[in-house]
Amino acid sequence: MTDTAPEAVAAGAPDPAPDPDEAQRAIEYCYQQDWSDGLPLVPASKPLVDQFLATTSRDPDEIIGSLEQVGRDCTVYLAAVNAAMAGCKPEYFPVVLAAFDALMRERAARGGGFQSTSGPAPLIVVNGPIRHELEFNTAGGAFGDGFRPNATIPRAIGLIVRNAFGIRQHVLGQATQGVPGRWSICIAENEEESPWEPLAANAGQPGGVSAVSATLTRTCEFIDNRATGVTEEVLRDFADTIGRLGPQIFPQTPVALVLCPEHAQQFAGSGYSKADVQNWLIEHSGRTVGEMRRAGKGHVLRFGASADAEPVSDEHFHRVLTEPRQIPVIVAGAKNAGISMVVRIFGEWSGIATPVGEKIK
Amino acid sequence: MPNAILDPTGTAATKAARPAAARAPRRASLHGARVGLLINTKQNAAPFLHEVGRLLVEEYGAGSVTARTKLNFAVPESGEVVKEMAAEADVIVTGVGDCGSCSAAAAADGVVFEAAGLPTAVIVTDSFRATTEAMAELRGAPGFPYATTAHPVAALGEAQVKERAAGVLCDVVALLTEPADQNA
């Protein structure tokens, strides 16, 4: 095999083999400009970026996001340059634009989220036919590696924040530790094995359209529960993780649930809609005030409380969620084990998805 | 000619164009001055700044103290708030910056208050020097002076907060007034 490969290339390929020395010089040039997130960038040229811009009717100079506090804007053009550098294909660009729009709907993203000590990571969720058109991974390894659109689209968002907004670690970026896998989480929902409507339908985009939702997150925690047929026992396992003390800094602690098909189908099989799951978890997720106080989290209750509020007893059960809106539910991954993820939302999800390829009003 | 590698930052044109921010004239002393506190809502920021205000009255003869709380610690205050504070105060003390966004926002607020003619003391914890300075530079005020206290502040008890406030007092006064040798 190895001795026939060069001949096949020479006979079949119209272009000469790429020059690795030139490619390496270009990659090093990008590092020297401080444009890189640490990994090699695809050097962006005008012909390449023009291919990105050709996928949208939007004006290259249109401002698609601003960070007022640092006085920086991102235009369609800058998004295209960063998407090209991230390794996106030109046809991914409408999804990059939709993901960025959805993310900039988040109050935390427009505020100081990208500068925060928590160093939050975007969770990007793609729905609709675009998942298959662009060959997103919609099956096993939903948080994992190996799929170009899933990997490069969130990286493009990270490069936009770094380059167009100018947020770099140790300067305007002040993450204490950050989030593992920041700029790498882009889930194409497993709509085919979900018993429920897709996330986009919960976010104002029903009817199976291609749309992107996004929020900022602080971490993912797995729930491995595959040995009980009692649905409420599985839900109780979720509630335990959702209600735990570590993430509590405000009275409310929103979470996204990335459910594996097995858990989602078990819940649905027991008659639970998404809303039923959300409401069950609202009721059962939390800790007693005594537990909070013993862990140094008593002050959490004071946020938003009036100064003359009655003191709360140690026995009071503090619920960390109050509204279904705080618990977006996504179905993702393979139907091969009961392994789901609780994703901690940084701030609050806007609840609004952005359609792919539609001019934003 | 080969294709150029494109710049993903979009800043080449804007860097040179940014004007330098104006700085308020310093006061000879704080005697009779109306002190405006801008509290950034972070844990212990309110008792810290109130103690600074109290000491400015008690030890430096400041005339009065008014306090406001930032609506969002992460972003700079609106022009309206700046205008309102300028009407009710002669000098501003703001902080305590002890996170990424709020330290940067404190610096941004400081630059704006200075441009509005109010000597301002920005207080951040010493873990956030880099972002405070970067933000001041972004706002056209490279080398913007500010005061620091040791990190962290949020975990301190009441007595420790008062000690810290007393510890930063000289720096605050120095930021708000002319150096003594300039008067001589």
Side-chain angles (χ1 to χ4, degrees):
Chain A
M1 287 298 285
T2 48
D3 56 351
T4 61
E7 287 165 33
V9 169
D15 297 324
D19 178 348
D21 299 330
E22 202 55 39
Q24 287 154 18
R25 273 194 291 278
I27 288 169
E28 283 305 318
Y29 175 85
C30 293
Y31 275 117
Q32 285 159 14
Q33 309 308 310
D34 201 20
W35 294 336
S36 168
D37 52 13
L39 297 172
L41 295 172
V42 175
S45 62
K46 185 170 185 304
L48 177 61
V49 170
D50 283 347
Q51 290 181 52
F52 282 70
L53 295 172
T55 66
T56 175
S57 59
R58 298 172 70 171
D59 185 337
D61 292 331
E62 180 186 343
I63 291 173
I64 56 171
S66 300
L67 271 198
E68 207 182 318
Q69 65 270 38
V70 294
R72 296 281 287 266
D73 302 319
C74 181
T75 59
V76 170
Y77 169 79
L78 284 179
V81 175
N82 282 286
M85 287 185 155
C88 290
K89 287 184 176 180
E91 56 264 38
Y92 301 171
F93 190 48
V95 180
V96 173
L97 289 174
F100 185 68
D101 180 76
L103 187 60
M104 291 307 288
R105 290 177 188 277
E106 299 293 284
R107 182 173 179 267
R110 293 192 308 275
F114 297 127
Q115 301 157 255
S116 166
T117 46
S118 47
L123 166 68
I124 298 165
V125 181
V126 181
N127 282 118
I130 196 88
R131 294 170 305 133
H132 299 306
E133 290 161 20
L134 296 181
E135 299 181 333
F136 278 90
N137 173 31
T138 64
F143 284 91
D145 56 290
F147 300 90
R148 187 168 175 177
N150 303 72
T152 57
I153 290 168
R155 188 188 188 205
I157 302 297
L159 290 176
I160 289 170
V161 171
R162 175 182 186 82
N163 292 315
F165 285 164
I167 309 291
R168 291 175 162 80
Q169 286 306 334
H170 299 185
V171 189
L172 290 170
Q174 289 287 319
T176 307
Q177 296 185 324
V179 176
R182 198 185 193 196
W183 316 126
S184 74
I185 308 170
C186 179
I187 291 174
E189 186 161 11
N190 187 345
E191 296 175 25
E192 289 70 21
E193 292 188 285
S194 170
W196 298 313
E197 72 284 3
L199 180 68
N202 308 129
Q205 297 297 331
V209 298
S210 293
V212 185
S213 309
T215 191
L216 285 173
T217 74
R218 292 196 63 168
T219 197
C220 301
E221 302 158 79
F222 69 91
I223 311 293
D224 190 325
N225 191 317
R226 39 183 147 174
T228 173
V230 182
T231 293
E232 286 72 22
E233 289 180 1
V234 182
L235 284 169
R236 198 168 294 285
D237 203 4
F238 277 84
D240 175 64
T241 291
I242 293 169
R244 76 177 185 82
L245 293 163
Q248 291 190 32
I249 53 171
F250 298 117
Q252 302 296 305
T253 310
V255 291
L257 301 184
V258 180
L259 299 183
C260 63
E262 188 172 313
H263 281 154
Q265 290 175 12
Q266 182 180 3
F267 297 159
S270 302
Y272 281 81
S273 65
K274 271 192 189 181
D276 294 331
V277 170
Q278 290 161 331
N279 286 322
W280 198 98
L281 292 171
I282 287 169
E283 183 68 22
H284 294 88
S285 301
R287 291 290 184 272
T288 67
V289 170
E291 287 175 298
M292 292 173 69
R293 287 182 173 142
R294 282 193 292 280
K297 290 294 176 81
H299 68 282
V300 166
L301 299 164
R302 290 202 296 272
F303 282 99
S306 63
D308 54 356
E310 289 287 312
V312 188
S313 78
D314 276 1
E315 289 70 39
H316 177 76
F317 185 78
H318 172 69
R319 293 185 177 84
V320 297
L321 299 161
T322 54
E323 292 177 63
R325 194 169 73 82
Q326 296 168 315
I327 322 170
V329 178
I330 302 130
V331 177
K335 192 189 172 187
N336 62 7
I339 303 172
S340 293
M341 209 70 93
V342 168
V343 183
R344 297 284 167 187
I345 293 176
F346 178 78
E348 196 173 49
W349 179 42
S350 72
I352 301 169
T354 300
V356 175
E358 196 173 280
K359 186 116 180 158
I360 292 146
K361 294 174 193 80
Chain B
M1 195 179 148
N3 284 308
I5 297 177
L6 300 181
D7 179 343
T9 68
T11 55
T14 56
K15 262 181 187 158
R18 191 174 289 115
R23 193 159 162 77
R26 302 293 100 179
R27 293 178 63 92
S29 85
L30 291 175
H31 189 78
R34 298 171 300 164
V35 177
L37 307 177
L38 182 59
I39 298 161
N40 72 352
T41 74
K42 302 296 288 196
Q43 178 87 358
N44 277 337
F48 191 112
L49 292 192
H50 279 294
E51 180 66 3
V52 169
R54 191 187 70 78
L55 292 171
L56 290 176
V57 171
E58 197 165 282
E59 297 184 16
Y60 291 87
S64 65
V65 177
T66 54
R68 271 173 183 265
T69 303
K70 280 178 79 77
L71 287 176
N72 181 352
F73 65 74
V75 298
E77 283 307 302
S78 69
E80 265 171 49
V81 169
V82 173
K83 207 182 273 181
E84 285 169 23
M85 289 195 75
E88 67 193 22
D90 304 311
V91 297
I92 303 291
V93 182
T94 186
V96 176
D98 75 339
C99 72
S101 54
C102 69
S103 300
D109 283 335
V111 173
V112 173
F113 281 120
E114 288 283 349
L118 293 155
T120 301
V122 170
I123 306 171
V124 302
T125 71
D126 56 8
S127 293
F128 293 98
R129 287 193 171 108
T131 201
T132 304
E133 290 165 19
M135 180 57 100
E137 188 167 349
L138 263 178
R139 295 276 166 161
F144 186 84
Y146 59 96
T148 61
T149 187
H151 192 84
V153 165
L156 300 179
E158 198 182 329
Q160 292 167 305
V161 169
K162 286 189 171 170
E163 266 172 46
R164 289 294 195 79
V168 81
L169 193 66
C170 281
D171 291 342
V172 168
V173 172
L175 286 169
L176 300 175
T177 56
E178 288 177 338
D181 58 353
Q182 277 190 10
N183 294 332

mmCIF file with all atom_site columns, all heavy atoms in Angstrom, chain A residues 207-221:
data_model
loop_
_atom_site.group_PDB
_atom_site.id
_atom_site.type_symbol
_atom_site.label_atom_id
_atom_site.label_alt_id
_atom_site.label_comp_id
_atom_site.label_asym_id
_atom_site.label_entity_id
_atom_site.label_seq_id
_atom_site.pdbx_PDB_ins_code
_atom_site.Cartn_x
_atom_site.Cartn_y
_atom_site.Cartn_z
_atom_site.occupancy
_atom_site.B_iso_or_equiv
_atom_site.pdbx_formal_charge
_atom_site.auth_seq_id
_atom_site.auth_comp_id
_atom_site.auth_asym_id
_atom_site.auth_atom_id
_atom_site.pdbx_PDB_model_num
ATOM 1  N N   . GLY A 1 207 ? -41.264 23.686 14.444 1.00 0.00 ? 207 GLY A N   1
ATOM 2  C CA  . GLY A 1 207 ? -41.443 23.305 13.042 1.00 0.00 ? 207 GLY A CA  1
ATOM 3  C C   . GLY A 1 207 ? -40.217 22.678 12.398 1.00 0.00 ? 207 GLY A C   1
ATOM 4  O O   . GLY A 1 207 ? -40.135 22.592 11.178 1.00 0.00 ? 207 GLY A O   1
ATOM 5  N N   . GLY A 1 208 ? -39.260 22.261 13.220 1.00 0.00 ? 208 GLY A N   1
ATOM 6  C CA  . GLY A 1 208 ? -38.110 21.539 12.671 1.00 0.00 ? 208 GLY A CA  1
ATOM 7  C C   . GLY A 1 208 ? -37.137 22.387 11.878 1.00 0.00 ? 208 GLY A C   1
ATOM 8  O O   . GLY A 1 208 ? -36.361 21.866 11.081 1.00 0.00 ? 208 GLY A O   1
ATOM 9  N N   . VAL A 1 209 ? -37.164 23.704 12.083 1.00 0.00 ? 209 VAL A N   1
ATOM 10 C CA  . VAL A 1 209 ? -36.221 24.554 11.348 1.00 0.00 ? 209 VAL A CA  1
ATOM 11 C C   . VAL A 1 209 ? -34.813 24.380 11.913 1.00 0.00 ? 209 VAL A C   1
ATOM 12 O O   . VAL A 1 209 ? -34.624 23.942 13.052 1.00 0.00 ? 209 VAL A O   1
ATOM 13 C CB  . VAL A 1 209 ? -36.597 26.054 11.443 1.00 0.00 ? 209 VAL A CB  1
ATOM 14 C CG1 . VAL A 1 209 ? -37.958 26.296 10.828 1.00 0.00 ? 209 VAL A CG1 1
ATOM 15 C CG2 . VAL A 1 209 ? -36.556 26.545 12.882 1.00 0.00 ? 209 VAL A CG2 1
ATOM 16 N N   . SER A 1 210 ? -33.817 24.724 11.111 1.00 0.00 ? 210 SER A N   1
ATOM 17 C CA  . SER A 1 210 ? -32.429 24.725 11.594 1.00 0.00 ? 210 SER A CA  1
ATOM 18 C C   . SER A 1 210 ? -32.221 25.975 12.435 1.00 0.00 ? 210 SER A C   1
ATOM 19 O O   . SER A 1 210 ? -32.462 27.095 11.960 1.00 0.00 ? 210 SER A O   1
ATOM 20 C CB  . SER A 1 210 ? -31.451 24.703 10.422 1.00 0.00 ? 210 SER A CB  1
ATOM 21 O OG  . SER A 1 210 ? -31.555 23.475 9.740  1.00 0.00 ? 210 SER A OG  1
ATOM 22 N N   . ALA A 1 211 ? -31.800 25.755 13.666 1.00 0.00 ? 211 ALA A N   1
ATOM 23 C CA  . ALA A 1 211 ? -31.626 26.887 14.578 1.00 0.00 ? 211 ALA A CA  1
ATOM 24 C C   . ALA A 1 211 ? -30.558 26.543 15.603 1.00 0.00 ? 211 ALA A C   1
ATOM 25 O O   . ALA A 1 211 ? -30.270 25.361 15.845 1.00 0.00 ? 211 ALA A O   1
ATOM 26 C CB  . ALA A 1 211 ? -32.944 27.216 15.280 1.00 0.00 ? 211 ALA A CB  1
ATOM 27 N N   . VAL A 1 212 ? -29.969 27.579 16.191 1.00 0.00 ? 212 VAL A N   1
ATOM 28 C CA  . VAL A 1 212 ? -28.898 27.394 17.164 1.00 0.00 ? 212 VAL A CA  1
ATOM 29 C C   . VAL A 1 212 ? -29.276 28.088 18.470 1.00 0.00 ? 212 VAL A C   1
ATOM 30 O O   . VAL A 1 212 ? -29.754 29.229 18.457 1.00 0.00 ? 212 VAL A O   1
ATOM 31 C CB  . VAL A 1 212 ? -27.556 27.964 16.646 1.00 0.00 ? 212 VAL A CB  1
ATOM 32 C CG1 . VAL A 1 212 ? -26.427 27.647 17.624 1.00 0.00 ? 212 VAL A CG1 1
ATOM 33 C CG2 . VAL A 1 212 ? -27.224 27.394 15.270 1.00 0.00 ? 212 VAL A CG2 1
ATOM 34 N N   . SER A 1 213 ? -29.067 27.387 19.574 1.00 0.00 ? 213 SER A N   1
ATOM 35 C CA  . SER A 1 213 ? -29.243 27.959 20.909 1.00 0.00 ? 213 SER A CA  1
ATOM 36 C C   . SER A 1 213 ? -27.875 27.998 21.576 1.00 0.00 ? 213 SER A C   1
ATOM 37 O O   . SER A 1 213 ? -27.015 27.174 21.268 1.00 0.00 ? 213 SER A O   1
ATOM 38 C CB  . SER A 1 213 ? -30.185 27.102 21.757 1.00 0.00 ? 213 SER A CB  1
ATOM 39 O OG  . SER A 1 213 ? -31.386 26.832 21.058 1.00 0.00 ? 213 SER A OG  1
ATOM 40 N N   . ALA A 1 214 ? -27.688 28.923 22.500 1.00 0.00 ? 214 ALA A N   1
ATOM 41 C CA  . ALA A 1 214 ? -26.391 28.989 23.188 1.00 0.00 ? 214 ALA A CA  1
ATOM 42 C C   . ALA A 1 214 ? -26.552 29.626 24.553 1.00 0.00 ? 214 ALA A C   1
ATOM 43 O O   . ALA A 1 214 ? -27.430 30.472 24.763 1.00 0.00 ? 214 ALA A O   1
ATOM 44 C CB  . ALA A 1 214 ? -25.385 29.788 22.362 1.00 0.00 ? 214 ALA A CB  1
ATOM 45 N N   . THR A 1 215 ? -25.718 29.188 25.476 1.00 0.00 ? 215 THR A N   1
ATOM 46 C CA  . THR A 1 215 ? -25.634 29.846 26.778 1.00 0.00 ? 215 THR A CA  1
ATOM 47 C C   . THR A 1 215 ? -24.210 29.689 27.281 1.00 0.00 ? 215 THR A C   1
ATOM 48 O O   . THR A 1 215 ? -23.400 28.984 26.685 1.00 0.00 ? 215 THR A O   1
ATOM 49 C CB  . THR A 1 215 ? -26.664 29.252 27.765 1.00 0.00 ? 215 THR A CB  1
ATOM 50 O OG1 . THR A 1 215 ? -26.739 30.089 28.925 1.00 0.00 ? 215 THR A OG1 1
ATOM 51 C CG2 . THR A 1 215 ? -26.301 27.839 28.185 1.00 0.00 ? 215 THR A CG2 1
ATOM 52 N N   . LEU A 1 216 ? -23.895 30.389 28.369 1.00 0.00 ? 216 LEU A N   1
ATOM 53 C CA  . LEU A 1 216 ? -22.570 30.234 28.973 1.00 0.00 ? 216 LEU A CA  1
ATOM 54 C C   . LEU A 1 216 ? -22.669 29.252 30.133 1.00 0.00 ? 216 LEU A C   1
ATOM 55 O O   . LEU A 1 216 ? -23.659 29.246 30.868 1.00 0.00 ? 216 LEU A O   1
ATOM 56 C CB  . LEU A 1 216 ? -22.036 31.579 29.483 1.00 0.00 ? 216 LEU A CB  1
ATOM 57 C CG  . LEU A 1 216 ? -21.537 32.539 28.410 1.00 0.00 ? 216 LEU A CG  1
ATOM 58 C CD1 . LEU A 1 216 ? -21.196 33.890 29.042 1.00 0.00 ? 216 LEU A CD1 1
ATOM 59 C CD2 . LEU A 1 216 ? -20.315 31.986 27.697 1.00 0.00 ? 216 LEU A CD2 1
ATOM 60 N N   . THR A 1 217 ? -21.642 28.441 30.305 1.00 0.00 ? 217 THR A N   1
ATOM 61 C CA  . THR A 1 217 ? -21.687 27.396 31.328 1.00 0.00 ? 217 THR A CA  1
ATOM 62 C C   . THR A 1 217 ? -20.407 27.380 32.155 1.00 0.00 ? 217 THR A C   1
ATOM 63 O O   . THR A 1 217 ? -19.367 27.857 31.719 1.00 0.00 ? 217 THR A O   1
ATOM 64 C CB  . THR A 1 217 ? -21.858 26.004 30.694 1.00 0.00 ? 217 THR A CB  1
ATOM 65 O OG1 . THR A 1 217 ? -20.622 25.619 30.087 1.00 0.00 ? 217 THR A OG1 1
ATOM 66 C CG2 . THR A 1 217 ? -22.958 25.989 29.657 1.00 0.00 ? 217 THR A CG2 1
ATOM 67 N N   . ARG A 1 218 ? -20.522 26.791 33.356 1.00 0.00 ? 218 ARG A N   1
ATOM 68 C CA  . ARG A 1 218 ? -19.368 26.737 34.260 1.00 0.00 ? 218 ARG A CA  1
ATOM 69 C C   . ARG A 1 218 ? -18.768 25.353 34.392 1.00 0.00 ? 218 ARG A C   1
ATOM 70 O O   . ARG A 1 218 ? -17.632 25.221 34.844 1.00 0.00 ? 218 ARG A O   1
ATOM 71 C CB  . ARG A 1 218 ? -19.752 27.259 35.632 1.00 0.00 ? 218 ARG A CB  1
ATOM 72 C CG  . ARG A 1 218 ? -20.031 28.752 35.585 1.00 0.00 ? 218 ARG A CG  1
ATOM 73 C CD  . ARG A 1 218 ? -20.025 29.362 36.946 1.00 0.00 ? 218 ARG A CD  1
ATOM 74 N NE  . ARG A 1 218 ? -18.721 29.235 37.573 1.00 0.00 ? 218 ARG A NE  1
ATOM 75 C CZ  . ARG A 1 218 ? -18.371 29.869 38.670 1.00 0.00 ? 218 ARG A CZ  1
ATOM 76 N NH1 . ARG A 1 218 ? -19.224 30.670 39.248 1.00 0.00 ? 218 ARG A NH1 1
ATOM 77 N NH2 . ARG A 1 218 ? -17.177 29.691 39.206 1.00 0.00 ? 218 ARG A NH2 1
ATOM 78 N N   . THR A 1 219 ? -19.528 24.311 34.102 1.00 0.00 ? 219 THR A N   1
ATOM 79 C CA  . THR A 1 219 ? -18.962 22.972 34.081 1.00 0.00 ? 219 THR A CA  1
ATOM 80 C C   . THR A 1 219 ? -20.025 21.969 33.687 1.00 0.00 ? 219 THR A C   1
ATOM 81 O O   . THR A 1 219 ? -21.206 22.299 33.584 1.00 0.00 ? 219 THR A O   1
ATOM 82 C CB  . THR A 1 219 ? -18.367 22.565 35.449 1.00 0.00 ? 219 THR A CB  1
ATOM 83 O OG1 . THR A 1 219 ? -17.495 21.440 35.261 1.00 0.00 ? 219 THR A OG1 1
ATOM 84 C CG2 . THR A 1 219 ? -19.430 22.180 36.454 1.00 0.00 ? 219 THR A CG2 1
ATOM 85 N N   . CYS A 1 220 ? -19.596 20.714 33.469 1.00 0.00 ? 220 CYS A N   1
ATOM 86 C CA  . CYS A 1 220 ? -20.507 19.594 33.242 1.00 0.00 ? 220 CYS A CA  1
ATOM 87 C C   . CYS A 1 220 ? -20.232 18.553 34.317 1.00 0.00 ? 220 CYS A C   1
ATOM 88 O O   . CYS A 1 220 ? -19.090 18.322 34.678 1.00 0.00 ? 220 CYS A O   1
ATOM 89 C CB  . CYS A 1 220 ? -20.241 18.929 31.892 1.00 0.00 ? 220 CYS A CB  1
ATOM 90 S SG  . CYS A 1 220 ? -20.410 20.003 30.490 1.00 0.00 ? 220 CYS A SG  1
ATOM 91 N N   . GLU A 1 221 ? -21.309 17.943 34.830 1.00 0.00 ? 221 GLU A N   1
ATOM 92 C CA  . GLU A 1 221 ? -21.165 16.878 35.830 1.00 0.00 ? 221 GLU A CA  1
ATOM 93 C C   . GLU A 1 221 ? -21.997 15.695 35.371 1.00 0.00 ? 221 GLU A C   1
ATOM 94 O O   . GLU A 1 221 ? -23.173 15.853 35.071 1.00 0.00 ? 221 GLU A O   1
ATOM 95 C CB  . GLU A 1 221 ? -21.669 17.382 37.181 1.00 0.00 ? 221 GLU A CB  1
ATOM 96 C CG  . GLU A 1 221 ? -20.942 18.610 37.672 1.00 0.00 ? 221 GLU A CG  1
ATOM 97 C CD  . GLU A 1 221 ? -21.754 19.394 38.693 1.00 0.00 ? 221 GLU A CD  1
ATOM 98 O OE1 . GLU A 1 221 ? -21.801 18.993 39.861 1.00 0.00 ? 221 GLU A OE1 1
ATOM 99 O OE2 . GLU A 1 221 ? -22.350 20.411 38.303 1.00 0.00 ? 221 GLU A OE2 1
#
